[in-house]
Amino acid sequence: MMSNPCTSVILHDDDRKLEYSRVERPLLKPGEVLVEILCCTICGSDLHTFEGTRSTPCPTILGHEMVGRVVDLHPEATVKDFLDRPVKAGDRITWSVAVSCKKCEFCRRGLTQKCTRLFKYGHQKLDAQNYLSGGLASHCHLVKGTTIFKVPASLPDLIASPANCATATVMAAFRLAGDIQDKSVLILGAGMLGVTASAVAHAKQAGTVFVTDIDPERVRRSLEFGARHALLVKKEQPLHQEILHLTEGRGVDFVFDMTGVPEVIESGLETLAIGGSLILVGSVYPARPVQLSAETIVRRLLRIEGIHNYVDLDLANALNFLERFQNRYPFSRLCEQTFALSDIKAAFEESAHRRSYRVAVLPDPTA
């Protein structure tokens, strides 16, 4: 009979099936933390892995957008959060999806998400030491060196949970972009990343915010998140023609692509004004190469950058942004579908329908 067992949902790569497992609580080493999961939202990468279109080392526990409550720490070591505050039992926290060594070449260059010894929650192959490393479980075992953030008391779990990936990634993209005040911004794709980016651009006082998508409902919803022009993508009218018409032929200063679709990216490039920047965010799955004119990039002084994951500061900024603007923009309406951990298959099915921006998995009522 196991004492205080933990429950997890394990994904196996041989048949893509989800298996419920009950395991003993881990014995913590100094600097480690055991967290009870309060909420885990299903990210697009979780869905792609579950469907077999994204490669992840298995067996694994999916889920990296999560909020939890500290239930245990090793007594011989003090753990502090990002703001250097002691972490104690009962604290409601989230944590960076990636744990880096802080010593390798990439870490020294500030590219901690590309650490040569990276540990990623929700993407980690399970082993005897780390068998609770994802959000689709009753508990998550935080390894030493994990950057922890106390969640502001005013932030509900359903709003705070996506900060760990979606909101932090958006903040990373805007960090790359730099100052956007009074500049025109085009956001390609109005999913979770897109509407969040629209809100961030609006809050940062962008001059005009354009958002595009193929889904009429998501196009409409983006207007509630600060978009001035919400455009439904139509085959008969190329996107760049419509944008150039709305900007009187000038084009836009920034394009943020959240789709990863080559045709969309190519059209977005054609909307850029002289000196404009394209920030690629959504290209995290296999697709054909993007076709571009190097001469156009040179003559129009364009800049193209990519962002993958984020650094710790981006998650701090994400939580701050959500705390400040959760009532100005309807973030509470982005995650309205919830499922118990024991009903995980239904949660993935709902996520696949894409009717919800995010689907949340909550602890079992009897847990």
Side-chain angles (χ1 to χ4, degrees):
M1 190 77 175
M2 287 186 288
S3 60
N4 299 318
C6 302
T7 303
S8 64
V9 180
I10 300 175
L11 176 70
H12 296 275
D13 59 0
D14 51 352
D15 52 13
R16 316 307 300 176
K17 287 185 178 180
L18 298 171
E19 174 194 10
Y20 288 89
S21 175
R22 289 173 70 81
V23 295
E24 290 277 9
R25 288 196 179 196
L27 296 176
L28 301 181
K29 299 176 182 178
E32 298 182 343
V33 180
L34 185 65
V35 181
E36 177 188 13
I37 299 297
L38 299 175
C39 177
C40 178
T41 44
I42 297 178
C43 176
S45 63
D46 295 321
L47 180 61
H48 293 154
T49 301
F50 174 69
E51 294 176 336
T53 58
R54 182 181 186 278
S55 177
T56 294
C58 289
T60 192
I61 300 173
L62 297 176
H64 53 276
E65 291 185 344
M66 45 194 166
V67 171
R69 180 176 289 112
V70 176
V71 293
D72 195 13
L73 304 97
H74 195 282
E76 296 179 7
T78 299
V79 176
K80 295 187 177 182
D81 73 351
F82 181 75
L83 296 178
D84 205 34
R85 300 172 297 186
V87 175
K88 60 185 183 300
D91 285 344
R92 189 168 65 114
I93 64 170
T94 189
W95 51 97
S96 179
V97 66
V99 184
S100 58
C101 72
K102 308 294 193 297
K103 297 177 182 179
C104 71
E105 178 186 356
F106 290 123
C107 287
R108 292 197 301 269
R109 291 167 54 192
L111 303 175
T112 53
Q113 69 268 57
K114 295 299 173 183
C115 173
T116 57
R117 287 178 279 179
L118 197 67
F119 182 100
K120 290 187 73 174
Y121 292 101
H123 302 277
Q124 200 72 25
K125 186 173 183 177
L126 304 182
D127 59 34
Q129 286 72 44
N130 296 291
Y131 52 85
L132 287 171
S133 57
L136 296 181
S138 63
H139 296 77
C140 189
H141 180 187
L142 305 192
V143 301
K144 183 178 180 180
T146 300
T147 306
I148 293 172
F149 300 80
K150 295 187 181 184
V151 177
S154 67
L155 273 184
D157 292 341
L158 294 179
I159 295 178
S161 190
N164 191 294
C165 179
T167 321
T169 299
V170 169
M171 300 310 289
F174 278 87
R175 172 172 52 81
L176 277 190
D179 184 14
I180 65 165
Q181 185 173 346
D182 299 325
K183 301 295 179 62
S184 52
V185 172
L186 169 61
I187 297 163
L188 305 174
M192 186 73 182
L193 291 171
V195 295
T196 301
S198 179
V200 172
H202 185 258
K204 287 180 175 290
Q205 301 179 11
T208 305
V209 180
F210 302 86
V211 179
T212 69
D213 202 278
I214 60 174
D215 185 326
E217 174 57 27
R218 292 193 168 187
V219 166
R220 185 198 64 77
R221 180 64 64 86
S222 67
L223 293 171
E224 302 173 11
F225 285 81
R228 180 176 176 183
H229 297 285
L231 309 174
L232 184 65
V233 177
K234 305 173 184 177
K235 289 184 178 180
E236 61 272 17
Q237 184 175 8
L239 171 64
H240 65 275
Q241 291 183 6
E242 192 166 359
I243 294 294
L244 291 174
H245 171 72
L246 290 171
T247 59
E248 300 180 341
R250 179 184 180 278
V252 295
D253 298 302
F254 293 93
V255 174
F256 293 85
D257 176 66
M258 308 301 183
T259 71
V261 178
E263 293 83 0
V264 175
I265 295 171
E266 290 161 358
S267 191
L269 265 171
E270 295 190 58
T271 70
L272 281 172
I274 290 176
S277 297
L278 169 64
I279 310 295
L280 299 175
V281 183
S283 300
V284 290
Y285 57 87
R288 70 162 175 81
V290 173
Q291 297 180 348
L292 53 83
S293 166
E295 181 186 6
T296 297
I297 293 172
V298 170
R299 292 189 180 278
R300 296 184 65 80
L301 306 175
L302 304 182
R303 181 166 61 101
I304 301 175
E305 291 194 62
I307 185 68
H308 184 229
N309 296 146
Y310 57 86
V311 298
D312 294 342
L313 178 62
D314 299 319
L315 180 49
N317 289 335
L319 290 168
N320 289 336
F321 174 80
L322 291 174
E323 182 183 23
R324 290 181 60 195
F325 296 106
Q326 61 175 311
N327 296 319
R328 184 172 180 181
Y329 309 103
F331 283 100
S332 61
R333 296 177 57 192
L334 297 181
C335 184
E336 297 180 317
Q337 297 292 325
T338 63
F339 294 83
L341 182 64
S342 57
D343 203 15
I344 187 62
K345 293 181 181 179
F348 272 110
E349 289 172 1
E350 176 61 31
S351 183
H353 287 312
R354 304 184 190 281
R355 291 176 292 213
S356 302
Y357 291 81
R358 280 295 187 268
V359 171
V361 179
L362 307 179
D364 289 328
T366 57

